[in-house]
Amino acid sequence: MTFDYDLFVIGGGSGGVRAARVAAATGAKVGLAEEYRMGGTCVIRGCVPKKLMVFASGYSEMFDDARAYGWDVQEGPFDWSKFSAKLNTELDRLEGIYRKLLDGSGVEIIDARAKVKDPHTVTLSTGKDVTAKHILIATGGRPVIPEMPGAELGITSNEIFLLDEMPKSILIVGGGYIASEFAGILNGLGVQVTQFYRGAQILRGFDDEARGLVAEGMRAKGVDLHLGTNIVEMRAATAEDLAGVHKSVPMEGGKPATLPQKSAGHGIWVKATNGTEKVYDQVMFATGRAPNTEDMGLEEAGVEVGRRGEIVVDEYSQTRVPSIYAIGDVTNRVQLTPVAIREGMAFVETVFKGNPTAVDHELIPSAVFTQPELGTVGLTEEEAREKEPIEVYCTSFKPMNHSFAGREDRVLMKLVVSKETRTVLGCHIVADHAGEMIQLAGIAVKMGATKEDFDRTVAVHPTMAEELVTMKEPVRSA
């Protein structure tokens, strides 16, 4: 049978684009369909704009630091419109690069929505059907808004970049990395931030000691964090609400909850499980993400879809339909852009280079761009303790730059070590630039370095990271 393409990719995010380009380099005829903007979640509405907002928000503390170090500087208000315009220009530039890379690789770009019709056919929103020997689905995921009355008044991480102006106050609902990152970002930009999380501690799944320090640091910087708390109901604020007829309770850090100044007809009234009734300019839901598999024709084509909407694949990213593969967030394996890219490259090795390659999802370094920042690789102390006897090497201290400036911020350096093999099973860092540090520590952990390998490494002084190689005695064993 003759096909229109050797490979047709559905989705123009980082994973899909990389797979398309690398496959085309083998001589394959490749087409790629994207219904929105090239670059996907990471480039357009995720990692890149979020990190630029992290940078912007960090300057709020630098003015005080600069004065402490002898500089005569005066801070002014943050100009969202100026930042937003430059942000959009940068995203346009990056999208253009993605398109040029695809075009230069010989990939045919189709600006349309695509869905699977059968194992070798894709239907485009233009009304045209195209055929392909192989189909790769890389449609990513999307934020989910909970089902509750008034939820339609809220926004998600998708819309936060599109606001015409910064709100004076915002309620962020959720305790994962997206919720916690944006709590820090918006707080740093001068927004009055309240965060509700129904669990006992934010950043579930990360090391308990590390996430506890992150939460403590967020509160110290002004985030009104309420744990064990959720929304009971929410609705558009009435004139009575705006006049101040509401109940409030102190935030957990002891500061009183206050009603922002507002004009009639604006705002969202929220009643919480902790008894608070308050009006916010915005409510942002960061309560989970779902794979983009709706109305894709997958099950009709024989592709298995899991209970969370994810495409079920094997270790080679192949679905139960031999000609159809899936990579990235749509498979709900590890939702990280570099992982999607690795999966895309492994797919090409397997299908177009005759070299079956499974993706290694073990010991993946990652960073959470909260304030303070968290970097992690390997097992948490809690996970390791369940598997084998361990020793924990840990130190928390006030770093030189913060101490001199009079800030109370503390950092954490932690190694989780196997008693039997002395292998470093996990490394966890809470500090400025923790993401940069964990990338390098991740190499050692991935190579199977032992605690003694760390000890043999000469410290770089004076740095925060030197503590990773100078901790000689365990603080506890389990």
Side-chain angles (χ1 to χ4, degrees), residues 385-396:
R385 192 187 300 127
E386 293 296 317
K387 292 179 178 291
E388 60 179 290
I390 61 169
E391 289 181 342
V392 177
Y393 296 79
C394 185
T395 181
S396 180

Side-chain angles (χ1 to χ4, degrees), residues 22-23 26 342-358:
V22 178
T26 69
R342 285 291 184 95
E343 290 170 355
M345 294 172 69
F347 158 77
V348 174
E349 284 289 328
T350 300
V351 176
F352 290 95
K353 296 186 179 181
N355 178 30
T357 302

Side-chain angles (χ1 to χ4, degrees), residues 249-291:
V249 297
M251 63 178 281
E252 293 186 23
K255 297 179 182 178
T258 58
L259 183 70
Q261 296 297 312
K262 308 182 67 59
S263 57
H266 296 82
I268 301 168
W269 174 87
V270 174
K271 183 176 181 179
T273 53
N274 64 5
T276 302
E277 296 178 21
K278 189 174 177 181
V279 175
Y280 302 91
D281 283 334
Q282 291 282 0
V283 174
M284 174 181 163
F285 290 104
T287 50
R289 294 177 62 83

Side-chain angles (χ1 to χ4, degrees), residues 350-421:
T350 300
V351 176
F352 290 95
K353 296 186 179 181
N355 178 30
T357 302
V359 179
D360 182 0
H361 290 107
E362 296 298 320
L363 297 176
I364 297 171
S366 64
V368 182
F369 297 105
T370 43
Q371 298 175 31
E373 197 168 301
L374 167 63
T376 181
V377 62
L379 299 178
T380 67
E381 179 180 344
E382 294 71 38
E383 291 169 337
R385 192 187 300 127
E386 293 296 317
K387 292 179 178 291
E388 60 179 290
I390 61 169
E391 289 181 342
V392 177
Y393 296 79
C394 185
T395 181
S396 180
F397 57 95
K398 192 185 299 184
M400 179 190 297
N401 62 327
H402 292 172
S403 180
F404 188 87
R407 286 167 58 180
E408 296 300 319
D409 305 51
R410 298 186 67 81
V411 306
L412 173 77
M413 301 285 167
K414 182 173 185 177
L415 296 176
V416 181
V417 179
S418 166
K419 278 187 178 180
E420 180 181 0
T421 67

Side-chain angles (χ1 to χ4, degrees), residues 422-444:
R422 306 299 297 159
T423 301
V424 176
L425 303 174
C427 177
H428 311 281
I429 302 172
V430 178
D432 293 343
H433 312 297
E436 305 289 348
M437 287 186 269
I438 205 66
Q439 176 69 85
L440 302 180
I443 298 171

Side-chain angles (χ1 to χ4, degrees), residues 14-89:
S14 298
V17 168
R18 179 65 63 89
R21 290 177 54 215
V22 178
T26 69
K29 184 178 181 182
V30 181
L32 183 148
E34 168 58 50
E35 65 175 321
Y36 181 49
R37 297 184 65 181
M38 206 64 66
T41 295
C42 183
V43 173
I44 302 300
R45 51 189 176 273
C47 323
V48 172
K50 174 192 70 182
K51 189 65 181 291
L52 291 172
M53 288 182 74
V54 169
F55 291 145
S57 66
Y59 283 98
S60 61
E61 291 184 320
M62 291 183 184
F63 297 105
D64 284 339
D65 288 356
R67 285 190 288 269
Y69 277 88
W71 291 91
D72 183 13
V73 295
Q74 299 298 320
E75 66 261 45
F78 172 70
D79 188 337
W80 168 253
S81 61
K82 183 177 181 179
F83 171 81
S84 181
K86 192 166 185 178
L87 175 64
N88 288 328
T89 298

Side-chain angles (χ1 to χ4, degrees), residues 53 80 155-163 166-167 170 182 186 284:
M53 288 182 74
W80 168 253
I155 61 173
T156 70
S157 57
N158 281 357
E159 294 79 39
I160 196 72
F161 306 111
L162 305 176
L163 296 176
M166 278 284 97
I170 191 168
F182 276 106
L186 296 173
M284 174 181 163

